[in-house]
Amino acid sequence: MLLVVSILKAFSEILAFSLLGQGVLWLIAGKSRDTNVVYRMFSIITRPVMRLARLITPRIVLDRHIWTIAVLIVFIVWVFAGYEKLNLCMTDGIDDPLCVEIKQGLERRREK
């Protein structure tokens, strides 16, 4: 389960950086962004979360505002995955090296 949660968290981080990169290129490239190879790559990566955002929002929401819902979805998934990862490590006592590192970091923070 820890592996699944870690993969979900990493996937949400990749999506977040892809959305950020796409947004920066949207500002920089202007009208020629559709021919920009990097922008198109980011668009392919973020397409599933953008479709999900379009699916869950009412039709009255304009397409140009869908990206804010997509960012919110990615953020919620990232927070949930981080919380579950921490919860799994602290309650189940997993001897995974990542859990050991998380526990050591928390102990160092308590000492300060």
Side-chain angles (χ1 to χ4, degrees):
M1 187 66 180
L2 180 64
L3 179 64
V4 172
V5 172
S6 296
I7 290 171
L8 184 64
K9 187 171 185 288
F11 186 65
S12 67
E13 290 169 355
I14 291 169
L15 277 173
F17 281 116
S18 295
L19 284 167
L20 179 67
Q22 187 178 9
V24 169
L25 281 176
W26 184 84
L27 288 173
I28 293 172
K31 299 278 185 193
S32 64
R33 65 182 166 263
D34 293 328
T35 59
N36 188 321
V37 176
V38 178
Y39 183 85
R40 289 174 47 199
M41 180 188 66
F42 283 141
S43 179
I44 291 169
I45 293 170
T46 61
R47 187 174 297 143
V49 74
M50 296 294 269
R51 284 185 180 169
L52 177 65
R54 178 78 266 175
L55 183 69
I56 65 173
T57 55
R59 287 286 155 200
I60 196 166
V61 176
L62 300 175
D63 284 339
R64 64 181 168 198
H65 300 293
I66 292 299
W67 70 270
T68 56
I69 304 300
V71 169
L72 185 63
I73 290 169
V74 170
F75 179 72
I76 290 170
V77 168
W78 180 74
V79 168
F80 172 75
Y83 174 78
E84 281 301 312
K85 187 175 181 180
L86 185 62
N87 192 28
L88 282 171
C89 285
M90 298 309 289
T91 58
D92 293 344
I94 299 174
D95 292 331
D96 190 273
L98 181 60
C99 286
V100 172
E101 183 179 323
I102 290 173
K103 288 179 182 180
Q104 288 173 351
L106 287 173
E107 288 173 7
R108 275 184 258 138
R109 286 185 183 176
R110 287 181 189 154
E111 290 174 0
K112 290 182 181 181

